[in-house]
Amino acid sequence: MSPYRDPVVLEPLFRDEDRDPDTLEQPVLTGPGPQPPGVRPGPGRPSSRAQADAPSRPAAVCRPLASVLDPGLAERRARTRSGWWALLVLVSAATAAAWLARTRSLPTRFEAGSWPTAAVAGCLIAAFLAVAGLRCGRAGQARVQILFGRYRGTIRRTGLLWSSPLPRHLRIDVRLRHWRSEPLTVVDAEGTALHVVVLVVWRVKDTARALLAVDDHLTYLREQIESSTARVFSRNPADPFGDSFVEPAADGSLRDTEAVGDALTQVLAAECRAVGIEVFSARPLQVAYAPEVADAMQRRRIAAIDARHRDSVLTSVIDAVDDAVRRMTDRGLVGLDDYERKALVKDLTVAFYTSHAGAADLGR
């Protein structure tokens, strides 16, 4: 007997196991150049040119988490009644049982005509069921009913209520909650180590999936926060240095906490929605370089700022020199040949750059 194999996970690995090796199709190189000896197109397979002309197959896409969960596992309201009716039944049954026991002579053995004994037993059973089903619902908490391993419903009602005493009741917090993470170690798009602290605001929306779809929804949330943070922070560089070899995205660097927070919230909400957790916001509170690279990145940042400053000063100097030479030439103040024009441009550039550098030093 062959062992069981999951057709979704193991089929790509064992799909050619039961086939004859002589009939297996040989791989075909689709790139340019001659085919290696001993390799020929398999039966029914097109040539390399036909494969190049054929439309490419779409890449395999991972199935979302919601598709692998039980579609019937969704929160629904459990049947409940007002607890005051249960108290009324309890008082009435206890009073009736006491009255029957006091006014009627109850036989020691059950007989066909001993209806008072049956009535007292029925009153006691009704009183027991009324007491066993009484519960007090609190705001911000829900109770999940499970009977013989099956989900029966969720109680979100507050106050005094009555529900069936047979199912097992599991409490779960449905209030709006926040969680501040410890410093998470991630890398940016350039591979630089970062320490990130994230604040997540969330709540349990589907109690059935939060309790029954995963082993521990709190642990699942924390691990998804780490995974989503690593994914989002690896898209862009931490600082847009001028010599960065990574092309920054449209939302800029990781210093744009608003855009990074929106992207992190979107990714984390999509990962947690299938297990009944609703994420309202996920914001980075602190983004800092790891201690082992902090000094080097600080020097790199200072060098980049100095380079940008020098570039802006040089641009302004060149514009000033060009404007001065053009205006003197247009007004006919000087008649210069090429050699004299080059000398004038050189002298003006040195003078303007020196004046800008002196003004910058005084500003510091």
Side-chain angles (χ1 to χ4, degrees):
M1 179 182 296
S2 60
Y4 171 75
R5 297 165 183 163
D6 190 350
V8 176
V9 179
L10 300 180
E11 182 180 3
L13 301 178
F14 297 97
R15 58 187 175 187
D16 295 334
E17 185 184 60
D18 300 331
R19 299 175 59 183
D20 187 1
D22 297 335
T23 61
L24 292 179
E25 300 172 358
Q26 299 292 336
V28 180
L29 299 179
T30 58
Q35 299 287 345
V39 177
R40 62 182 185 279
R45 294 182 62 107
S47 61
S48 59
R49 178 173 298 179
Q51 287 185 351
D53 297 338
S56 60
R57 296 183 180 180
V61 180
C62 297
R63 294 184 302 171
L65 183 59
S67 62
V68 301
L69 296 178
D70 184 6
L73 186 60
E75 179 179 331
R76 58 179 180 272
R77 181 182 300 179
R79 296 182 179 181
T80 58
R81 296 293 183 269
S82 175
W84 299 106
W85 289 104
L87 287 178
L88 179 61
V89 172
L90 172 62
V91 172
S92 301
T95 303
W99 180 79
L100 289 174
R102 190 169 185 178
T103 59
R104 302 286 181 176
S105 57
L106 300 178
T108 57
R109 297 171 58 185
F110 181 78
E111 300 176 359
S114 59
W115 64 269
T117 303
V120 171
C123 291
L124 293 178
I125 293 175
F128 174 76
L129 292 177
V131 173
L134 275 178
R135 289 174 177 82
C136 182
R138 300 180 180 179
Q141 288 188 351
R143 297 171 184 263
V144 176
Q145 293 182 345
I146 300 177
L147 181 61
F148 301 120
R150 292 188 59 186
Y151 170 69
R152 305 301 298 176
T154 300
I155 301 175
R156 288 180 177 262
R157 189 172 177 175
T158 58
L160 189 62
L161 56 93
W162 183 90
S163 63
S164 175
L166 297 180
R168 185 163 58 103
H169 291 73
L170 302 178
R171 292 186 179 181
I172 184 172
D173 194 344
V174 294
R175 294 175 295 181
L176 191 66
R177 306 169 67 180
H178 70 278
W179 182 73
R180 180 190 177 103
S181 70
E182 297 294 332
L184 305 175
T185 302
V186 298
V187 294
D188 64 353
E190 296 181 348
T192 307
L194 304 173
H195 284 178
V196 182
V197 178
V198 182
L199 179 66
V200 180
V201 180
W202 63 281
R203 72 172 180 180
V204 175
K205 184 178 181 180
D206 194 318
T207 57
R209 292 194 172 186
L211 279 181
L212 305 178
V214 291
D215 185 22
D216 186 0
H217 65 282
L218 296 178
T219 303
Y220 178 86
L221 176 63
R222 293 172 183 174
E223 293 178 353
Q224 287 298 330
I225 290 174
E226 296 180 6
S227 174
S228 302
T229 303
R231 289 169 54 188
V232 172
F233 276 76
S234 63
R235 298 175 181 175
N236 301 327
D239 289 297
F241 296 112
D243 57 346
S244 175
F245 58 85
V246 177
E247 191 68 22
D251 55 355
S253 67
L254 297 180
R255 301 299 176 182
D256 188 0
T257 57
E258 189 70 22
V260 173
D262 293 341
L264 182 59
T265 302
Q266 183 179 3
V267 173
L268 185 59
E271 294 293 338
C272 296
R273 188 179 299 114
V275 295
I277 297 178
E278 183 179 9
V279 178
F280 291 93
S281 67
R283 302 293 177 184
L285 298 181
Q286 179 182 353
V287 180
Y289 289 106
E292 58 270 16
V293 298
D295 295 337
M297 299 309 296
Q298 182 68 18
R299 292 193 297 268
R300 183 182 177 188
R301 180 187 299 178
I302 294 176
I305 294 175
D306 186 68
R308 285 196 295 268
H309 174 70
R310 291 178 181 273
D311 182 72
S312 62
V313 170
L314 184 59
T315 301
S316 61
V317 167
I318 292 176
D319 293 340
V321 170
D322 180 71
D323 182 67
V325 173
R326 183 185 300 108
R327 293 174 65 180
M328 286 188 297
T329 304
D330 294 342
R331 295 183 181 183
L333 299 179
V334 292
L336 304 175
D337 55 10
D338 293 341
Y339 178 79
E340 294 176 344
R341 182 185 295 273
K342 291 179 181 179
L344 178 62
V345 168
K346 179 180 178 180
D347 296 339
L348 290 177
T349 302
V350 172
F352 288 165
Y353 193 84
T354 304
S355 62
H356 277 279
D361 294 337
L362 290 177
R364 294 178 184 178

